[in-house]
Amino acid sequence: MQMVNEDRLPHAIMLCGPQGAGKLALAVGLAQRLLATKVENSMFSDTPEYVESPMLKKLEHPDLHFTYPTIKLPSMGSDHKPVSDDFAHEWHELIMASPYFTMNEWLEQMGGENQQAIITAGESDELVRKLSLKSSQGGYKVSIIWLPERMNIECANKILKLLEEPPSQTLFIMVCQEPDKLLETIRSRVQRIDVRKIADEDIKKALMEKRGLAEDMAQRVTRMANGNWLKALETLSADSENELFLDMFQSLMRLAYMRKVKDLKAWSEQMGSMGREKQKRFLEYFLRLVRENFMYNFQNAELCYMTQREEEFAHNFARFINEANILPISDLANLAIRDIGQNANAKIVFFDMALQMIVLLIQK
C-alpha cells in the first residue's frame, strides 16, 4: 500500500513466503484495491475512498486475470494444452470460499488428485492474448499467477518475454512458494516481497474468535501451526490427512525396527498406490516428524510441535532418532521427494527407503 500511495508500484511483484502465510490473500487484496473505483470525499476531507464494484467483490472483474497450475482431463483432446480458463468455475468456487487453500485442495477441486499440476505453454499464450487487450475500465490490468514455480520451461520463457516487455498499466503479482525453482532471469525482473509467517498471537485470536476454541486448545493448535493458518485449520479437521500419514509413519518405523521385509514391501506398495502429490506430502510430513522426534530427546516442550497422538508415539520412539542418523534419514527423504517429482517408480522408491530405514534405525 505504501508503494501504491507513493506511486512507485513496479510492473511485477513476487510474494514469497511459507505456506499458509496469506500470500494469495494479500495478492487478491492488492488487486481489489487497484481495480476499485476512486471516489473523492466531501469538502471536509482530502482523502479519497475506493469502492469495490459487485463484480470486483466476486472476483469477476474483467481486468483481473488468474493463472494457476492445471491438469489434463481425459475429456480433453490429445493436442489440447490445458489453460486456467478450463477450470475457471472450479477456481472461482474455491477462492471465493477462502483465499487460503493447498495444492491438494485445488487438485481435488479439479478432479485430478493423482496428477501433478503444471502451468502450460498454452496458458502463457492465453495470458499474452488477454493482456494485449485494453483495460475495460481504463485503469490497471492485474495478472495474479499462483505458484509460478510450476510453469514448464516453455511457459516460463514466454512469461519472461512478457515481463521484459510488459503491456502498459499491467501489474503482475506472482504468488510463489519455492522461488528457487523459478528461472533466475524471471526472478531478476520482479520485485520480491517476503511475506512472513502469521504471528502466533493472531492465529490464537482467530482460532478463539472464529472457531470458538478454548484458550488452552487454541494455544496448542497455534504451536502446531507455527505461523501457518492452513496448518491450524488442518489440525482442527477430524478427517485430517495427517492421521493417515501418522499411521503410515508408525508402520514404517515399527516394521523397519522388526526387520519385516515382506511387510515393508506391502507398505511400499500401499504408498505407491497414492497419487504423486500425496506421496510428496507424506515425505514432507515424514521429515517434520523425524525432526520433532529428534528434538523431543532434549526434553524441552518449547522445541516440539506435535499433536497429542504424535507426542504419545514419540514418548517411546524418539530415542531411535539421534545425532548419528538424523542427517542420513533426512537426506533419504529428500532424495525420495526428488525421485517422486521426477516420476520414478514410486513402489521402488518407497521400498528402497524402507530397507534403508532398517539400517539407519540401529545407528547409535
Side-chain angles (χ1 to χ4, degrees), residues 12-17 179-180 187 189-195:
I13 292 173
M14 183 166 71
L15 301 177
C16 300
D180 291 343
R187 296 203 302 269
R189 283 163 176 77
V190 300
Q191 181 163 333
R192 174 170 173 167
I193 298 175
D194 288 307
V195 181

Side-chain angles (χ1 to χ4, degrees), residues 73-85:
L73 296 175
S75 58
M76 295 175 178
S78 57
D79 296 332
H80 179 71
K81 294 179 180 177
V83 295
S84 296
D85 284 351

